[in-house]
């Protein structure tokens, strides 16, 4: 319930591209643009409403409750994957995406739900006046289970509930995976008799999850993105007018944050640890303009 309320009070809208050069409407995201006064008013409403509904909030919706961000969700799926591998069990996973979920939230029903939570009537009226006939965005977190049959039952319930709320799944982008220690078994999940595509890896909340339960693919991806980010900031790191301390702060802020996203959830092999260390030293050498042929040791650079 809190995620619906947060969605309702957080958005005035404009569009931005999901991918560079996108010309189709489906490849654009809606972002919020609000005045500072409105942000202040709505944050106050959010704070008051949260005190009333916090006992109704589940611990499941990571990203919508305090102390439960996307890293928590990534951690859970990695832990489940590792435990399944350790116990030599197969873990069936289905990743669901929705078509225009933002536009499908029904405001009239949403406001009725708010009225049942004993919120201040003035706050509800203010929300109604500010956002009536506006659009909204809904994000549904993925759920995991132990066997294909139970996952199919859960998937059927999600599809049925979504249909009642006039929300449709993106069939082409809904995929499933089986995390297994051995050769991945088949997965016959279906949505209304339409078979779901089975994949070996999936970009889950920005973190690459693979069917072998390992983090090597994700770490390689993070290293690649970090190198690309570092390259884009090349003029900053080569600027001799900036001191080393400033450059290190820029490196931590814009490059290392990309490199280490979700790292709290990684299980790192010795090989991947060496690759991460080599990447770090690569950044330092280029930032300090020290060539490999200069024979400067790692300790000296650090």
């Amino acid at each position: 319930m809190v995620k619906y309320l947060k969605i309702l009070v957080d958005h005035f809208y404009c569009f931005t591209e999901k991918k560079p050069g996108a010309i189709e409407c489906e490849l654009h995201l809606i972002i919020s643009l609000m005045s500072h006064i409105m942000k202040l008013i709505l944050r106050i409403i959010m704070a008051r409403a949260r005190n009333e509904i916090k006992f109704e909030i589940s611990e499941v919706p990571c990203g919508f409750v305090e102390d439960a961000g996307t890293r928590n969700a990534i951690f859970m799926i990695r832990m489940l994957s590792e435990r399944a591998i350790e116990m030599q069990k197969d873990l069936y996973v289905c990743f669901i995406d929705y078509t225009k979920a933002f536009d499908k939230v029904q405001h009239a029903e949403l406001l009725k739900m708010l009225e049942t939570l004993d919120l201040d009537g003035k706050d509800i009226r203010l929300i109604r006046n500010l956002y009536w006939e506006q659009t909204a965005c809904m994000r549904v977190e993925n759920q995991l289970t132990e066997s294909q049959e139970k996952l199919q039952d859960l998937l059927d319930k999600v599809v049925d509930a979504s249909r009642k709320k006039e929300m449709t799944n993106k069939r082409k982008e809904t995929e499933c995976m089986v995390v297994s220690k051995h050769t991945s078994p088949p997965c016959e999940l279906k949505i209304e008799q339409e078979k779901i595509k089975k994949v070996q890896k999936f970009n889950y909340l920005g973190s690459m999850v693979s069917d072998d339960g390992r983090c090597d693919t994700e770490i390689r991806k993070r290293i690649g993105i970090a190198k690309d980010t570092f390259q884009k900031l090349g003029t900053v790191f080569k600027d001799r007018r900036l001191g080393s301390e400033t450059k290190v702060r820029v490196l931590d802020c814009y490059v290392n944050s990309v490199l280490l996203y979700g790292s709290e959830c990684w299980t790192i092999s010795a090989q991947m640890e060496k690759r991460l260390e080599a990447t770090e030293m690569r950044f330092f050498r280029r930032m300090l303009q020290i060539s490999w042929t200069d024979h400067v040791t790692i300790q000296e650079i650090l």
Side-chain angles (χ1 to χ4, degrees):
M1 185 59 213
V2 70
K3 61 184 176 184
Y4 297 140
L5 181 59
K6 179 174 177 56
I7 287 162
L8 188 63
V9 300
D10 261 359
H11 294 86
F12 269 139
Y13 322 105
C14 69
F15 294 87
T16 184
E17 296 177 350
K18 283 185 179 179
K19 301 177 181 179
I23 58 176
E24 298 180 10
C25 293
E26 294 182 354
L27 298 180
H28 286 76
L29 292 173
I30 297 176
I31 61 175
S32 61
L33 294 174
M34 294 186 297
S35 67
H36 295 301
I37 295 178
M38 179 167 289
K39 285 184 179 181
L40 178 61
I41 294 174
L42 297 180
R43 288 299 176 183
I44 293 174
I45 295 176
M46 274 295 300
R48 292 202 299 225
R50 190 179 296 276
N51 291 333
E52 296 293 336
I53 65 177
K54 61 182 179 182
F55 300 108
E56 304 289 335
I57 302 174
S58 168
E59 296 180 356
V60 175
C62 297
F64 295 99
V65 296
E66 293 181 356
D67 301 323
T70 54
R71 286 179 173 83
N72 296 76
I74 296 170
F75 173 77
M76 285 188 283
I77 193 171
R78 291 208 181 279
M79 289 298 295
L80 287 168
S81 300
E82 291 183 14
R83 293 296 178 269
I85 296 297
E86 182 181 354
M87 301 304 295
Q88 300 190 29
K89 299 291 184 180
D90 298 330
L91 175 64
Y92 287 77
V93 188
C94 182
F95 303 97
I96 303 174
D97 198 0
Y98 279 92
T99 303
K100 298 181 180 179
F102 188 94
D103 300 326
K104 297 297 183 179
V105 175
Q106 302 176 45
H107 285 187
E109 183 175 344
L110 178 58
L111 290 171
K112 289 180 181 179
M113 296 170 66
L114 296 178
E115 290 171 355
T116 64
L117 296 177
D118 197 29
L119 297 181
D120 191 311
K122 294 180 181 179
D123 289 346
I124 296 179
R125 286 196 297 272
L126 179 57
I127 294 173
R128 181 186 290 111
N129 293 336
L130 285 173
Y131 289 94
W132 195 253
E133 296 182 356
Q134 292 290 335
T135 55
C137 175
M138 186 176 77
R139 181 180 183 181
V140 180
E141 300 294 342
N142 301 294
Q143 300 184 36
L144 308 176
T145 186
E146 298 175 356
S147 62
Q148 179 174 325
E149 292 75 16
K150 291 184 179 180
L151 181 56
Q152 182 65 65
D153 291 340
L154 178 60
L155 181 58
D156 292 340
K157 292 178 181 178
V158 171
V159 172
D160 183 61
S162 301
R163 188 187 303 110
K164 292 179 180 178
K165 299 297 183 182
E166 299 181 5
M167 301 186 67
T168 55
N169 307 110
K170 291 183 179 179
R171 303 294 175 85
K172 294 183 179 180
E173 297 185 23
T174 296
E175 301 174 337
C176 63
M177 177 193 300
V178 181
V179 180
S180 178
K181 183 175 183 178
H182 308 289
T183 302
S184 180
C187 185
E188 302 293 334
L189 289 177
K190 298 180 180 179
I191 295 181
E192 298 176 341
Q193 304 306 313
E194 182 177 343
K195 187 176 179 180
I196 297 176
K197 179 183 178 182
K198 180 174 178 288
V199 296
Q200 294 181 319
K201 56 185 179 181
F202 187 86
N203 189 9
Y204 178 65
L205 301 176
S207 179
M208 190 63 67
V209 179
S210 55
D211 61 0
D212 60 2
R214 299 168 64 89
C215 300
D216 294 13
T217 301
E218 165 63 5
I219 294 175
R220 293 191 188 98
K221 171 191 169 184
R222 287 284 126 204
I223 290 175
I225 296 175
K227 287 181 178 179
D228 184 59
T229 304
F230 184 89
Q231 185 68 26
K232 292 178 179 178
L233 293 171
T235 55
V236 176
F237 293 123
K238 293 178 181 178
D239 193 335
R240 296 184 181 276
R241 294 172 298 177
L242 297 178
S244 298
E245 183 178 349
T246 301
K247 291 181 179 180
V248 169
R249 292 176 63 184
V250 173
L251 182 72
D252 287 337
C253 180
Y254 294 103
V255 180
N256 289 343
S257 60
V258 173
L259 175 64
L260 300 178
Y261 171 71
S263 60
E264 304 92 333
C265 314
W266 292 348
T267 299
I268 305 178
S269 63
Q271 180 182 9
M272 289 298 104
E273 183 177 1
K274 290 181 179 179
R275 293 195 65 167
L276 287 168
E277 291 176 350
T279 300
E280 180 186 37
M281 294 313 302
R282 173 192 176 94
F283 293 154
F284 284 154
R285 285 182 180 274
R286 293 200 172 188
M287 186 172 64
L288 299 174
Q289 300 185 38
I290 298 176
S291 171
W292 296 98
T293 58
D294 291 338
H295 302 293
V296 179
T297 65
I298 293 177
Q299 293 301 323
E300 288 179 300
I301 293 176
L302 294 177

